[in-house]
Amino acid sequence: MVTATPDPFPRDRPSGARAVSRCDLLGEVPYSDVPGQLFRPYLGGGHAATLDRIAAWMAEAGMRARIDPAGNIVGRYEGSMPDAPALLLGSHVDSVRDAGRYDGMLGVMLGIETVAHFAERGRRFPFALEVIGFGDEEGSRFPVSMLCSRAVAGALAGQDVAQDMVDAQGTSLADALGGFGLDLARFSQAARRRADVLAYVEAHIEQGPVLEAADRPLGVVSAIAAQYRFQADVTGVAGHAGTMAMDLRRDALAAAAEMVLAIERIGGGGPPDLVATVGRLAVGPGVPNVVPGTVGFTIDVRAGTHAVRDGAARAIRAALAEIAARRQVTLDLAQQQDLPATPCDPALTGLLEEAVRQATGHAPHVLVSGAGHDAMAMARLAPVGMLFLRCAGGISHNPAEAVDEADADCALRALTDFVARFAEAHQAGRR
């Protein structure tokens, strides 16, 4: 069990505004590992302080809080019958470096507010409500992402929890877990039984500009895009910048630059849901008077369907191979990640659409998520649904990330309405 510390907020009634305020509180030390910015990596000091605070809020909302073997925090509000299966609400509590305050965390806070809404009214359901805050989604500490939701879904591969996995400072996953009082040998015991989880529903900021452009506070996600991630390594010949003739050069950076533009062209030439990104590039030897001999860069390709993603990946491979051959450099292209497209459950999506229509008075805006989410992993365990909230300018993974409190209130109304509709459907035997 975690220790619940006093709540710094008065016990106001459940609201989206309170959820936003709590995210703001959790954006600073001691809930961040870095003063002056938000950085909350998995199993760090900020993570520990955050779990302590969340446990207090869960207790206030009528839940019993616990930490599972993977370091996720889980709050349970019992149903009308003991040991009933659960409807899970939540998202992740970790962050990227110099992050915004609402990515992931707002979904956890809205889950707590949803439970508080029903607890205040003394309402129970034939299932339990659980709020889960996944410890790692971003992969900002160890070289894997969605580590904790994949553990809960029972979808981990052995190498994902290897004894020799270390962070940038050389701390092993086993030692980091030990600092939390957890044991790597028990990590897989975070897996939940299918019979114990009815569904998983995640509220999340959109991290894009679609809802803002459509002037809608909320959207319903129909699917999460398929994703490939590659590491490309280009090797040419390093040489003196003053003596190596231009027509004799095998410049790795010049070749890589052409490759980056080809990736941009292919990503921009497909349907609107196709995107392709080079997010990191490292040049060697990195000296002003030396022609670059090596370049490594990442490639991220996403689309709403496997066919579009795979077609773009084939086109990128062919284009890069042609550039490498023409420029007489070698190319090593290694696939690092293959995340399949994740369709949201049609029945859950329909209930969320009805809830959004009731909460907003508008026809629900349905969209594909280009960003990856814990729901992708949880789909291995149970039906999943996602609710998106508008964020200012579509900005995320950035301190400028912003959410309107009125939109958060609207999201809370939609979530409470959804839970009531889900209960009706559950009792009618439709799920």
Side-chain angles (χ1 to χ4, degrees):
M1 288 291 291
V2 288
T3 302
T5 55
D7 190 345
F9 291 106
R11 296 194 172 203
D12 298 328
R13 301 192 67 180
S15 72
R18 185 169 69 172
V20 171
S21 296
R22 287 175 167 178
C23 290
D24 290 338
L25 174 73
L26 296 174
E28 301 175 353
V29 172
Y31 311 107
S32 169
D33 285 5
V34 179
Q37 64 174 250
L38 174 56
F39 180 44
R40 186 166 43 240
Y42 177 48
L43 302 176
H47 184 198
T50 297
L51 296 192
D52 186 47
R53 177 61 64 200
I54 291 175
W57 290 330
M58 286 179 165
E60 178 191 316
M63 288 180 275
R64 184 180 72 253
R66 66 181 177 90
I67 303 297
D68 75 9
N72 304 306
I73 187 165
V74 185
R76 183 175 174 92
Y77 178 73
E78 290 292 351
S80 53
M81 297 289 290
D83 301 319
L87 169 61
L88 267 61
L89 307 172
S91 191
H92 61 96
V93 304
D94 66 323
S95 81
V96 298
R97 188 176 292 277
D98 201 16
R101 297 180 174 189
Y102 312 106
D103 175 10
M105 187 59 75
L106 184 58
V108 180
M109 295 300 103
L110 284 171
I112 293 172
E113 295 299 300
T114 299
V115 172
H117 169 88
F118 292 113
E120 183 180 66
R121 290 157 176 77
R123 185 172 180 183
R124 303 274 178 176
F125 299 98
F127 48 84
L129 287 175
E130 289 189 2
V131 177
I132 186 163
F134 295 109
D136 168 84
E137 189 257 13
E138 300 287 5
S140 57
R141 181 173 185 183
F142 296 99
V144 290
S145 59
M146 302 184 199
L147 184 61
C148 292
S149 51
R150 286 190 289 144
V152 171
L156 282 176
Q159 66 269 22
D160 290 336
V161 289
Q163 289 279 351
D164 58 356
M165 180 186 292
V166 297
D167 64 14
Q169 283 68 49
T171 302
S172 70
L173 176 59
D175 286 345
L177 286 165
F180 255 61
L182 302 172
D183 184 353
L184 182 63
R186 297 186 61 245
F187 197 93
S188 62
Q189 294 177 23
R192 302 288 293 269
R193 297 191 315 146
R194 287 179 181 268
D196 293 339
V197 178
L198 296 175
Y200 170 73
V201 174
E202 182 170 358
H204 203 285
I205 60 171
E206 182 197 349
Q207 300 179 281
V210 174
L211 291 176
E212 187 175 68
D215 194 26
R216 291 289 186 268
L218 305 176
V220 178
V221 178
S222 60
I224 304 170
Q227 178 184 351
Y228 275 142
R229 189 171 296 171
F230 300 95
Q231 173 66 34
D233 291 299
V234 180
T235 304
V237 176
H240 196 293
T243 61
M244 184 172 281
M246 295 296 292
D247 61 344
L248 299 178
R249 293 185 179 189
R250 294 164 61 189
D251 186 327
L253 179 56
E258 187 175 348
M259 292 175 182
V260 171
L261 291 175
I263 293 165
E264 181 188 45
R265 173 179 52 78
I266 293 166
D273 63 313
L274 172 64
V275 292
T277 305
V278 174
R280 184 176 65 223
L281 186 145
V283 181
V287 179
N289 61 345
V290 177
V291 175
T294 62
V295 174
F297 61 93
T298 58
I299 308 170
D300 186 304
V301 184
R302 308 187 192 204
T305 64
H306 294 123
V308 172
R309 178 201 62 174
D310 294 354
R314 286 192 298 270
I316 287 171
R317 284 182 179 274
L320 269 54
E322 185 279 326
I323 293 167
R326 174 163 42 81
R327 286 185 169 270
Q328 297 183 314
V329 297
T330 60
L331 171 68
D332 180 30
L333 194 59
Q335 182 176 300
Q336 293 185 314
Q337 188 163 277
D338 176 2
L339 295 177
T342 304
C344 292
D345 179 74
L348 292 178
T349 299
L351 293 177
L352 283 169
E353 288 181 29
E354 292 170 10
V356 168
R357 182 180 288 105
Q358 178 66 30
T360 66
H362 297 293
H365 193 99
V366 180
L367 65 166
V368 172
S369 172
H373 300 285
D374 289 303
M376 299 180 79
M378 292 296 287
R380 294 279 297 271
L381 174 68
V384 299
M386 284 199 73
L387 178 72
F388 267 177
L389 287 80
R390 171 172 54 189
C391 58
I395 296 171
S396 183
H397 284 188
N398 184 310
E401 199 173 82
V403 176
D404 192 293
E405 290 184 353
D407 289 355
D409 277 327
C410 194
L412 179 59
R413 291 197 300 274
L415 285 171
T416 55
D417 185 82
F418 164 79
V419 172
R421 292 174 188 275
F422 182 89
E424 292 175 4
H426 180 77
Q427 290 175 309
R430 301 206 318 253
R431 293 205 58 80

